[in-house]
Amino acid sequence: MNYFSSDFKLGILGGGQLGKMLLTETRKFDIQTYVLDPSDEAPCKIGSNKFFKGSLMDFDTVYNFGKQVDVLTFEIELVNIEALEKLESEGIKVYPSPKTLRLIQNKGTQKDFYTTHNIPTAAYKRFENVAGLKQAVADNEITLPFVWKSTEGGYDGNGVKVIRNTDSFNNLPDVQCIAETMIPFKNELAVIVTRTPSGEIKTYPVVEMEFHPEANQVEYVICPARIDDAVADNARAIALKVSEHFNHVGLLAVEMFQTEDDQILVNEVAPRPHNSGHYSIEASYTSQFEQHLRAILDLPLGNTDSKVAGIMVNLVGEEGYSGSVVYENIEKILGQDGVTPHIYGKKETRPFRKMGHVTIVNQDIAEARRVAQEVKNTIRVIC
Amino acid sequence: MNYFSSDFKLGILGGGQLGKMLLTETRKFDIQTYVLDPSDEAPCKIGSNKFFKGSLMDFDTVYNFGKQVDVLTFEIELVNIEALEKLESEGIKVYPSPKTLRLIQNKGTQKDFYTTHNIPTAAYKRFENVAGLKQAVADNEITLPFVWKSTEGGYDGNGVKVIRNTDSFNNLPDVQCIAETMIPFKNELAVIVTRTPSGEIKTYPVVEMEFHPEANQVEYVICPARIDDAVADNARAIALKVSEHFNHVGLLAVEMFQTEDDQILVNEVAPRPHNSGHYSIEASYTSQFEQHLRAILDLPLGNTDSKVAGIMVNLVGEEGYSGSVVYENIEKILGQDGVTPHIYGKKETRPFRKMGHVTIVNQDIAEARRVAQEVKNTIRVIC
């Protein structure tokens, strides 16, 4: 197949920032793209060949969109899987496959998958509803504190809560859920694995999420993770094992915990470009977005090594500000060496909304970390 | 001024590959763009906020386009300067300025400028027409061989000829021209300089154009140039001097000769992103396109150092092929480490048409050069 400057069409479900950064690569290779998104102001409206407004959860909308393209991918997991299954059965290439997506979309099924395949993960129990969960606590089958996770629809920290006392039950929605043992961990790590339909596999280096010491929020994604080589090798090997069992096509971001005694436990996966890989645009020989494109088109995968150390800082809307976004002091951070802002193109800011990210690269990771802190302290997403 | 995700509008005259690569940066920063180009199939049609089809040489078209934007720039020198002058007088920021463009657009004026400012350049004489040139040869005022250059309208090697005998005169167009002493040179070098309205100036490292041993055609642009540090320092200093005298805003690519005795002579300049800076997308901390954007918006300039060595290979249409383009063996070159193709998005190939370029990056410049040769020998732009 001749993808470049041809009639070949790639469809992308979802038109957010991940899609937008993927479009940069499709433009670089001159690959035709169709994008479907419910919002008329989606970041992908500019940069795609054709933009369609419509629901990603509606069977007919997704099916009719998919029938127009040669290869279909997605930048968000919350899409109509039945439509993907029908499209696949009718010969459209859907990558990652609806089968992979089904395994991942439900966090209970995803946990069972790890257990079945002997992949280390925190102990858990599945429940059909809150009543079942409460009974288990009453019966001392599970003990406080534990981590509650809604099995479906969770996103960016929604659908996850630490339950420390029985009062916390009262605010939980009555949905299918899991209760997971709380793991005291040293580090939260991630590894992105890419796989092609032909079976070529490559892993990116291990990255580290550094949390704010008080607010339990990721502040920096750091590549390479500042951990022992043996731990990094183990994390990469486990991510590879996860990837091999999912048998996915495209990117798979594997999030993991490094426990106090240096065990690696898989937390969850995402079958798409991932926040933990944004650093790769500036730091890696091949960005995760180019790599995803290479994978789903069954082209040779690129080098996943880094040219330099990379740190990513998320730009989220500041509390107390809702309205037309202003990036205060952005000209100041541009005056620092190796700083690249990525502004997603959302016009309205809201508290904690992901509006962009900033990458800091440097030969010296300590210097990158220093600049990252300065970036974090300087820029404000307000209105 | 708040450029990011705001109502601010950047206008770009010309919608070719240079504009397309600039649009990648405007998308990254979410800056609104209007593009004017005569072709309905211009590469910039996708990726700009608004695309206008129209002549870049027509006063009214350029003027009416420019009135809609806040800052106006161009990716090609062949634009209506009178319209730019009127726009500037009416308060539109035009960068580079029409004054800079006037000095550069005419190669005779450009050469006089170097002489006036004591910038080393090959000896030359100006002529109003072919008759004057012939008379000068007949009178032995200039001796064969020499380099003939049309003062206006030259592009990509058009309008330049080596005149070795009087017969060669017969095919020259009857236009204003210069006759330049032929300089035996070791290397053709280039330095990109960037300047902001506030006067911040940064230079990129010296790059080297490696020619095909027989076909007198640039095959590779190599960064850093494989020359002595003293020669590189001198080239960078001379480029800086050129930039200071032009007092331009935005990028200025300064092309130079390194003579047999290591003198640096300025050949010509281009006030825009330049083929010799394409390597910077993958190799530099700040690509030339991001740098141009930073400059014309008067933002702090980025680090011009390289993360790794970079080599660029132009992808031009192969002789004997005209029609719908096919990039033969592109999947093979993607299998090499550090190889990134940039496909400009022109649908039709013609002999020698610039269809794209490939960047090869590596920590080791000798290894990059080896891969570049393999890329050059493998890929074919045919139909």
Side-chain angles (χ1 to χ4, degrees):
Chain A
M1 185 70 202
N2 168 34
Y3 305 117
F4 303 78
S5 296
S6 71
D7 289 335
F8 171 84
K9 286 178 199 72
L10 172 66
I12 306 171
L13 294 169
Q17 63 262 26
L18 301 176
K20 182 189 171 187
M21 290 184 271
L22 187 59
L23 287 182
T24 300
E25 306 306 319
T26 60
R27 292 296 300 136
K28 193 170 82 184
F29 288 170
D30 196 39
I31 288 167
Q32 273 197 73
T33 49
Y34 285 16
V35 175
L36 177 68
D37 192 273
S39 166
D40 214 20
E41 295 198 327
C44 285
K45 205 170 172 185
I46 298 164
S48 52
N49 290 62
K50 269 198 188 181
F51 178 83
F52 300 79
K53 188 186 168 184
S55 164
L56 299 169
M57 295 306 291
D58 180 65
F59 180 91
D60 288 339
T61 306
V62 172
Y63 175 75
N64 291 329
F65 173 80
K67 284 302 273 185
Q68 302 174 69
V69 304
D70 301 290
V71 171
L72 186 60
T73 189
F74 47 84
E75 56 116 51
I76 181 168
E77 290 100 316
L78 300 173
V79 298
N80 188 298
I81 298 193
E82 289 74 24
L84 297 189
E85 284 166 339
K86 189 165 163 65
L87 287 163
E88 191 178 53
S89 75
E90 291 174 7
I92 308 290
K93 286 175 181 163
V94 183
Y95 297 134
S97 74
K99 192 178 154 231
T100 303
L101 190 52
R102 262 202 199 285
L103 281 171
I104 290 169
Q105 227 183 32
N106 183 297
K107 283 182 186 168
T109 316
Q110 200 187 125
K111 289 288 279 189
D112 289 351
F113 184 84
Y114 300 140
T115 307
T116 305
H117 293 287
N118 211 14
I119 290 161
T121 190
Y124 66 102
K125 283 209 162 66
R126 296 181 67 169
F127 298 97
E128 281 308 309
N129 48 45
V130 173
L133 174 63
K134 283 179 179 175
Q135 190 59 53
V137 172
D139 295 350
N140 279 323
E141 278 174 37
I142 50 176
T143 50
L144 298 172
F146 65 87
V147 182
W148 168 89
K149 289 181 181 175
S150 157
T151 55
E152 286 186 347
Y155 211 74
D156 275 350
N158 289 316
V160 179
K161 272 208 178 81
V162 176
I163 307 294
R164 299 188 185 277
N165 52 55
T166 40
D167 285 355
S168 315
F169 283 144
N170 299 332
N171 295 319
L172 290 180
D174 190 17
V175 295
Q176 203 191 65
C177 63
I178 60 175
E180 209 177 76
T181 306
M182 259 188 87
I183 304 290
F185 57 84
K186 277 188 205 171
N187 279 309
E188 217 168 309
L189 308 174
V191 172
I192 291 175
V193 191
T194 322
R195 201 178 156 278
T196 69
S198 301
E200 187 185 3
I201 300 187
K202 284 201 177 171
T203 62
Y204 277 87
V206 185
V207 302
E208 164 197 355
M209 278 81 145
E210 188 182 324
F211 282 70
H212 186 280
E214 288 133 42
N216 189 37
Q217 210 183 16
V218 178
E219 284 202 302
Y220 307 104
V221 173
I222 301 172
C223 179
R226 296 161 302 178
I227 56 176
D228 288 347
D229 284 355
V231 177
D233 289 348
N234 189 28
R236 232 162 147 165
I238 287 174
L240 205 54
K241 187 175 173 188
V242 172
S243 166
E244 278 161 1
H245 285 298
F246 274 117
N247 214 27
H248 65 102
V249 167
L251 298 182
L252 189 76
V254 185
E255 296 185 46
M256 294 170 281
F257 299 116
Q258 176 189 3
T259 65
E260 298 289 356
D261 59 346
D262 286 343
Q263 298 298 302
I264 296 292
L265 299 179
V266 172
N267 180 21
E268 59 181 45
V269 300
R272 51 167 172 78
H274 193 253
N275 197 259
S276 68
H278 288 353
Y279 79 91
S280 65
I281 298 173
E282 283 80 18
S284 307
Y285 282 93
T286 313
S287 90
Q288 64 165 340
F289 298 98
E290 179 177 332
Q291 197 77 308
H292 185 66
L293 198 54
R294 285 174 178 242
I296 62 178
L297 300 181
D298 210 8
L299 292 165
L301 295 178
N303 183 350
T304 59
D305 292 344
S306 293
K307 299 170 192 165
V308 284
I311 300 188
M312 189 217 54
V313 176
N314 281 317
L315 292 183
V316 299
E318 194 156 316
E319 257 188 300
Y321 295 90
S322 290
S324 293
V325 67
V326 173
Y327 298 91
E328 197 181 68
N329 294 329
I330 199 160
E331 71 289 351
K332 286 192 184 149
I333 68 161
L334 281 167
Q336 299 268 347
D337 260 8
V339 168
T340 308
H342 289 258
I343 306 299
Y344 297 155
K346 301 168 186 175
K347 304 304 172 205
E348 303 281 314
T349 185
R350 290 192 301 268
F352 307 113
R353 188 176 195 199
K354 276 190 191 164
M355 301 298 288
H357 74 263
V358 179
T359 310
I360 299 96
V361 294
N362 203 293
Q363 293 287 352
D364 175 5
I365 196 165
E367 173 61 9
R369 178 64 185 73
R370 190 195 64 74
V371 175
Q373 181 122 14
E374 199 151 320
V375 166
K376 181 96 187 165
N377 294 343
T378 305
I379 197 165
R380 293 175 71 210
V381 183
I382 56 173
C383 63
Chain B
M1 184 72 203
N2 168 34
Y3 306 117
F4 303 78
S5 295
S6 71
D7 289 334
F8 170 85
K9 287 178 197 75
L10 172 67
I12 305 171
L13 293 170
Q17 62 263 26
L18 301 176
K20 182 188 173 190
M21 290 183 269
L22 187 60
L23 287 180
T24 301
E25 307 306 318
T26 61
R27 293 297 300 135
K28 193 170 84 185
F29 289 170
D30 196 38
I31 289 167
Q32 274 197 72
T33 48
Y34 286 16
V35 175
L36 176 68
D37 193 272
S39 166
D40 215 22
E41 295 198 328
C44 284
K45 203 170 175 185
I46 298 163
S48 52
N49 290 63
K50 269 198 189 182
F51 178 83
F52 300 79
K53 187 185 167 186
S55 164
L56 298 169
M57 294 307 290
D58 180 66
F59 180 91
D60 289 338
T61 306
V62 172
Y63 176 75
N64 291 330
F65 173 79
K67 285 301 272 185
Q68 303 175 66
V69 303
D70 301 290
V71 171
L72 186 60
T73 189
F74 48 85
E75 57 116 51
I76 180 169
E77 289 101 315
L78 300 174
V79 298
N80 188 298
I81 298 194
E82 289 74 23
L84 297 189
E85 284 167 337
K86 188 166 164 65
L87 288 163
E88 192 178 53
S89 74
E90 292 173 6
I92 307 290
K93 286 175 180 164
V94 183
Y95 296 135
S97 73
K99 192 179 153 231
T100 304
L101 190 51
R102 261 202 199 285
L103 281 171
I104 290 169
Q105 227 183 31
N106 183 297
K107 283 182 186 167
T109 316
Q110 201 188 124
K111 289 288 278 190
D112 289 350
F113 184 83
Y114 300 139
T115 307
T116 306
H117 292 288
N118 211 14
I119 291 161
T121 190
Y124 66 101
K125 282 208 165 67
R126 297 181 67 169
F127 298 97
E128 280 309 307
N129 48 46
V130 173
L133 174 63
K134 284 181 179 173
Q135 189 60 50
V137 172
D139 295 350
N140 277 322
E141 280 174 37
I142 51 176
T143 50
L144 297 172
F146 64 86
V147 182
W148 168 89
K149 290 180 182 174
S150 157
T151 56
E152 286 186 348
Y155 211 74
D156 276 351
N158 287 317
V160 178
K161 272 208 178 82
V162 176
I163 306 296
R164 299 187 186 277
N165 52 54
T166 42
D167 284 355
S168 314
F169 285 145
N170 299 333
N171 294 320
L172 290 181
D174 190 17
V175 294
Q176 202 191 65
C177 63
I178 60 176
E180 211 177 75
T181 306
M182 260 189 89
I183 305 290
F185 58 85
K186 275 188 203 169
N187 279 308
E188 216 168 311
L189 307 174
V191 173
I192 291 174
V193 192
T194 323
R195 202 178 155 277
T196 69
S198 302
E200 188 185 1
I201 299 187
K202 283 200 178 172
T203 61
Y204 277 86
V206 184
V207 302
E208 165 196 353
M209 278 82 146
E210 189 182 325
F211 282 70
H212 187 280
E214 285 132 44
N216 199 38
Q217 207 183 17
V218 177
E219 282 202 303
Y220 308 103
V221 173
I222 301 173
C223 179
R226 297 163 299 179
I227 56 176
D228 289 347
D229 284 354
V231 176
D233 289 348
N234 188 29
R236 231 161 148 167
I238 286 173
L240 205 54
K241 187 175 171 187
V242 171
S243 167
E244 279 161 1
H245 284 298
F246 273 118
N247 214 27
H248 64 103
V249 166
L251 299 181
L252 188 77
V254 184
E255 296 184 45
M256 293 170 283
F257 299 116
Q258 177 190 3
T259 64
E260 297 290 354
D261 58 348
D262 284 344
Q263 297 298 301
I264 296 292
L265 299 179
V266 172
N267 181 22
E268 60 181 45
V269 299
R272 50 165 174 80
H274 194 253
N275 197 259
S276 69
H278 288 353
Y279 79 92
S280 66
I281 298 174
E282 284 79 19
S284 306
Y285 282 93
T286 313
S287 88
Q288 64 165 344
F289 299 98
E290 179 178 332
Q291 197 77 308
H292 185 65
L293 198 54
R294 286 176 179 240
I296 62 177
L297 301 180
D298 209 10
L299 292 165
L301 295 178
N303 184 350
T304 58
D305 291 345
S306 292
K307 301 169 190 165
V308 284
I311 300 187
M312 190 218 53
V313 176
N314 281 317
L315 292 183
V316 298
E318 193 157 315
E319 258 188 300
Y321 295 90
S322 292
S324 294
V325 65
V326 172
Y327 299 91
E328 197 182 69
N329 293 330
I330 199 159
E331 71 290 349
K332 286 192 184 149
I333 68 160
L334 281 167
Q336 298 267 347
D337 261 7
V339 168
T340 308
H342 290 258
I343 306 298
Y344 297 154
K346 301 168 186 176
K347 304 303 170 204
E348 302 282 313
T349 185
R350 292 192 299 269
F352 307 114
R353 189 178 193 195
K354 277 190 191 164
M355 301 298 288
H357 73 264
V358 179
T359 309
I360 298 96
V361 292
N362 204 293
Q363 293 287 353
D364 176 5
I365 197 166
E367 173 63 8
R369 180 63 186 74
R370 190 196 63 75
V371 174
Q373 180 122 16
E374 199 150 321
V375 166
K376 180 95 188 165
N377 293 343
T378 305
I379 197 165
R380 293 176 73 210
V381 183
I382 56 173
C383 64

